[in-house]
Amino acid sequence: MADEALVKNKQVVLKNYVNAGLPKESDMEIKEKSIQLKVPEGTKDAILVKNLYLSCDPYMRNRMKKLEDSYVPSFEPGLPISGYGVAKVVDSTHPEYKNGDLLWGTTGWEEYSLLRAPGLLFKIQHTDLPLTYYTGLLGMAGMTAYTGFYEICTPKKGEYVYVSAASGAVGQLVGQFAKLLGCYVVGSAGSKEKIDLLKNKFGFDEAFNYKEEPDLDAALKRYFPEGIDIYFENVGGKMLDAVLLNMRVHGRIAVCGMISQYNNDKPEATHNLMYIIPKRVRMQGFIVSDFYHLYPKYLEMVIPSIKEGKITYIEDVAEGIESAPTALIGLFIGRNVGKQLVVVSRD
């Protein structure tokens, strides 16, 4: 490819910080720049990638705020936002990557990205599975479900497991992992369509629409008359308060996310924390990147289950980079069904 090959590069740019309230599509804009399809002369350990698929993830909401002392930096207004994605190497000065390699990891929300000294990237070895899976099931979401369930919650066969936001990218997997282990599993979600999926597609024992439950404590007592051993926490707020009333002795809570709180100016108070003392509940937050050294172990476990049809995965696919702001905002109003991803290019 000629050194001087310049191509147009559409980007999703953050216009301004969004510190409170629901982000809007107008907080982002599509801009077009030019990029040379070559790593700049003299730039070591860099790769130029063509982005194929982008992953929409709830943690990205916090990056739209001006953050202090965060494990992940704020997006910068005026620059492309970034997140997990699947990409193909176009040019490389990095010894570990060559042209044509497929990878997943952190990239820009744009058609092409120059990744200098790339850190959080994984080469895709198993190309016999759908590439889109590396935005979710075989990527960060899969690792999050695996880490939270197996590493944090140390589950045992026959335990009672509750998953909130259960039809999302992570929740749908936690429920299926729990069923494979022989647990009793209940999930909650926000629509009839999602409840049907949980019970009929993902094999949950029971599921309920939290929006139709005026009393979450009563709902949980209905589905867990003997209490909850494991809670996979995705939402926070009133749901966490109700769960704390219903945990069993020596129960475990893996705190993955608190999506109900991300758009609040001030987080809601949690009133029932005192119950973790008499019930000896272990509650632990975690960041999935701390556990990426377990990725090979995860693939070893999950790939045979996928190929044998024991794991089902549902994706919500938005076409074209122009659709990315709408797809991302949809996460916070429950518009997506399954893993939300954006197709930038299919080749």
Side-chain angles (χ1 to χ4, degrees), residues 58-327:
Y59 83 94
M60 296 172 75
R61 169 64 187 96
N62 282 334
R63 298 188 68 189
M64 292 179 167
K65 300 175 182 175
K66 188 159 177 52
L67 298 170
E68 308 290 337
D69 192 30
S70 170
Y71 74 96
V72 65
S74 297
F75 297 137
E76 286 189 50
L79 294 179
I81 67 174
S82 61
Y84 284 91
V86 174
K88 184 163 75 172
V89 177
V90 174
D91 190 37
S92 171
T93 57
H94 195 293
E96 289 174 30
Y97 298 96
K98 63 182 192 303
N99 292 14
D101 280 351
L102 291 163
L103 52 86
W104 73 270
T106 303
T107 187
W109 273 38
E110 52 192 349
E111 291 176 292
Y112 295 89
S113 294
L114 176 63
L115 306 177
R116 297 170 189 270
L120 199 55
L121 294 177
F122 299 85
K123 250 191 228 184
I124 294 174
Q125 314 287 1
H126 300 273
T127 52
D128 53 337
L129 292 162
L131 276 183
T132 54
Y133 278 11
Y134 290 91
T135 66
L137 170 56
L138 295 174
M140 186 268 281
M143 270 302 293
T144 302
Y146 175 77
T147 298
F149 186 62
Y150 289 105
E151 298 293 319
I152 309 290
C153 291
T154 54
K156 295 186 269 305
K157 184 179 178 179
E159 288 194 307
Y160 300 110
V161 177
Y162 174 50
V163 187
S164 56
S167 69
V170 175
Q172 59 174 292
L173 293 174
V174 175
Q176 291 181 81
F177 293 163
K179 285 309 299 174
L180 286 175
L181 195 63
C183 296
Y184 168 79
V185 186
V186 177
S188 60
S191 73
K192 183 184 183 305
E193 179 189 9
K194 291 176 182 179
I195 299 311
D196 289 346
L197 274 179
L198 293 177
K199 285 161 58 168
N200 303 323
K201 189 93 174 169
F202 300 135
F204 283 58
D205 294 288
E206 289 289 349
F208 66 92
N209 184 343
Y210 68 90
K211 292 177 181 174
E212 293 176 353
E213 298 291 345
D215 184 340
L216 291 172
D217 175 35
L220 291 173
K221 283 184 166 56
R222 192 163 75 240
Y223 292 105
F224 294 98
E226 295 177 52
I228 299 164
D229 291 299
I230 289 173
Y231 173 44
F232 200 96
E233 165 68 304
N234 283 312
V235 300
K238 293 179 177 65
M239 184 64 81
L240 175 59
D241 250 353
V243 168
L244 288 168
L245 294 171
N246 288 280
M247 291 300 292
R248 299 180 84 183
V249 171
H250 299 299
R252 286 87 71 208
I253 300 175
V255 185
C256 168
M258 292 197 174
I259 197 168
S260 74
Q261 304 301 299
Y262 294 163
N263 297 313
N264 291 353
D265 199 9
K266 289 181 180 167
E268 286 177 274
T270 304
H271 301 279
N272 295 324
L273 270 176
M274 69 189 101
Y275 288 90
I276 69 174
I277 302 165
K279 294 184 178 182
R280 283 85 99 196
V281 171
R282 178 160 55 82
M283 185 170 170
Q284 183 178 337
F286 70 99
I287 302 296
V288 67
S289 53
D290 293 345
F291 295 86
Y292 277 147
H293 60 283
L294 299 175
Y295 185 57
K297 185 179 163 192
Y298 169 60
L299 289 184
E300 216 171 89
M301 187 272 299
V302 80
I303 285 176
S305 293
I306 297 169
K307 291 185 172 175
E308 290 162 25
K310 291 177 181 172
I311 295 276
T312 301
Y313 200 61
I314 288 192
E315 298 174 320
D316 196 322
V317 180
E319 291 286 343
I321 197 162
E322 297 84 355
S323 67
T326 307

